[in-house]
Short mmCIF file of all heavy atoms in Angstrom, two decimals:
data_model
loop_
_atom_site.label_atom_id
_atom_site.label_comp_id
_atom_site.label_asym_id
_atom_site.label_seq_id
_atom_site.Cartn_x
_atom_site.Cartn_y
_atom_site.Cartn_z
N PRO A 35 0.50 7.84 -11.85
CA PRO A 35 1.34 8.83 -12.57
C PRO A 35 0.60 9.73 -13.58
O PRO A 35 0.90 10.87 -13.71
CB PRO A 35 2.38 7.90 -13.29
CG PRO A 35 2.45 6.72 -12.40
CD PRO A 35 1.08 6.50 -11.91
N GLU A 36 -0.42 9.15 -14.24
CA GLU A 36 -1.08 9.89 -15.27
C GLU A 36 -2.45 10.41 -14.90
O GLU A 36 -3.02 11.33 -15.53
CB GLU A 36 -1.26 9.01 -16.52
CG GLU A 36 0.07 8.57 -17.13
CD GLU A 36 0.88 9.73 -17.67
OE1 GLU A 36 0.31 10.72 -18.06
OE2 GLU A 36 2.13 9.59 -17.67
N VAL A 37 -3.08 9.84 -13.84
CA VAL A 37 -4.46 10.17 -13.52
C VAL A 37 -4.78 9.66 -12.11
O VAL A 37 -4.14 8.76 -11.59
CB VAL A 37 -5.43 9.52 -14.55
CG1 VAL A 37 -5.42 7.99 -14.39
CG2 VAL A 37 -6.85 10.09 -14.45
N THR A 38 -5.77 10.28 -11.49
CA THR A 38 -6.30 9.81 -10.21
C THR A 38 -7.54 8.95 -10.49
O THR A 38 -8.47 9.42 -11.17
CB THR A 38 -6.67 10.95 -9.27
OG1 THR A 38 -5.45 11.64 -8.89
CG2 THR A 38 -7.34 10.44 -7.99
N LEU A 39 -7.52 7.70 -10.03
CA LEU A 39 -8.64 6.81 -10.23
C LEU A 39 -9.43 6.63 -8.96
O LEU A 39 -8.86 6.41 -7.85
CB LEU A 39 -8.20 5.41 -10.68
CG LEU A 39 -7.61 5.26 -12.10
CD1 LEU A 39 -7.43 3.79 -12.41
CD2 LEU A 39 -8.43 5.96 -13.14
N ALA A 40 -10.75 6.78 -9.04
CA ALA A 40 -11.63 6.45 -7.93
C ALA A 40 -12.01 4.97 -8.04
O ALA A 40 -12.09 4.41 -9.11
CB ALA A 40 -12.90 7.29 -7.99
N TYR A 41 -12.13 4.31 -6.85
CA TYR A 41 -12.52 2.89 -6.88
C TYR A 41 -13.26 2.57 -5.62
O TYR A 41 -13.26 3.28 -4.62
CB TYR A 41 -11.29 1.99 -7.05
CG TYR A 41 -10.28 1.98 -5.91
CD1 TYR A 41 -10.26 0.95 -4.97
CD2 TYR A 41 -9.31 3.00 -5.80
CE1 TYR A 41 -9.34 0.93 -3.98
CE2 TYR A 41 -8.38 2.99 -4.80
CZ TYR A 41 -8.39 1.93 -3.87
OH TYR A 41 -7.48 1.92 -2.85
N ARG A 42 -13.94 1.42 -5.67
CA ARG A 42 -14.74 0.92 -4.56
C ARG A 42 -14.09 -0.43 -4.16
O ARG A 42 -13.88 -1.29 -4.97
CB ARG A 42 -16.19 0.73 -4.97
CG ARG A 42 -16.85 2.04 -5.35
CD ARG A 42 -18.00 1.82 -6.29
NE ARG A 42 -19.14 1.13 -5.72
CZ ARG A 42 -20.20 1.72 -5.11
NH1 ARG A 42 -20.26 3.03 -5.08
NH2 ARG A 42 -21.17 0.99 -4.59
N GLU A 43 -13.82 -0.55 -2.88
CA GLU A 43 -13.17 -1.76 -2.35
C GLU A 43 -14.12 -2.50 -1.41
O GLU A 43 -14.75 -1.90 -0.55
CB GLU A 43 -11.89 -1.33 -1.60
CG GLU A 43 -11.06 -2.48 -1.12
CD GLU A 43 -9.72 -2.02 -0.50
OE1 GLU A 43 -9.46 -0.82 -0.52
OE2 GLU A 43 -9.03 -2.87 0.05
N SER A 44 -14.24 -3.79 -1.59
CA SER A 44 -15.13 -4.58 -0.75
C SER A 44 -14.64 -6.02 -0.73
O SER A 44 -13.67 -6.36 -1.33
CB SER A 44 -16.56 -4.52 -1.33
OG SER A 44 -16.59 -5.04 -2.65
N GLY A 45 -15.41 -6.84 0.01
CA GLY A 45 -15.10 -8.26 0.01
C GLY A 45 -14.26 -8.70 1.17
O GLY A 45 -14.06 -7.98 2.19
N ARG A 46 -13.73 -9.90 1.09
CA ARG A 46 -13.01 -10.56 2.18
C ARG A 46 -11.56 -10.08 2.24
O ARG A 46 -10.77 -10.28 1.32
CB ARG A 46 -13.04 -12.10 1.97
CG ARG A 46 -12.33 -12.86 3.12
CD ARG A 46 -12.65 -14.35 3.02
NE ARG A 46 -12.08 -14.97 1.85
CZ ARG A 46 -10.83 -15.42 1.77
NH1 ARG A 46 -10.03 -15.30 2.78
NH2 ARG A 46 -10.39 -16.00 0.66
N PRO A 47 -11.16 -9.47 3.35
CA PRO A 47 -9.76 -9.07 3.55
C PRO A 47 -8.84 -10.28 3.38
O PRO A 47 -9.12 -11.33 3.95
CB PRO A 47 -9.72 -8.48 4.96
CG PRO A 47 -11.15 -8.08 5.23
CD PRO A 47 -12.00 -9.08 4.51
N GLY A 48 -7.80 -10.15 2.60
CA GLY A 48 -6.88 -11.23 2.41
C GLY A 48 -7.28 -12.21 1.35
O GLY A 48 -6.53 -13.13 1.02
#
Side-chain angles (χ1 to χ4, degrees):
E36 300 294 331
V37 68
T38 295
L39 292 189
Y41 66 100
R42 296 154 67 93
E43 185 175 355
S44 62
R46 182 168 66 84

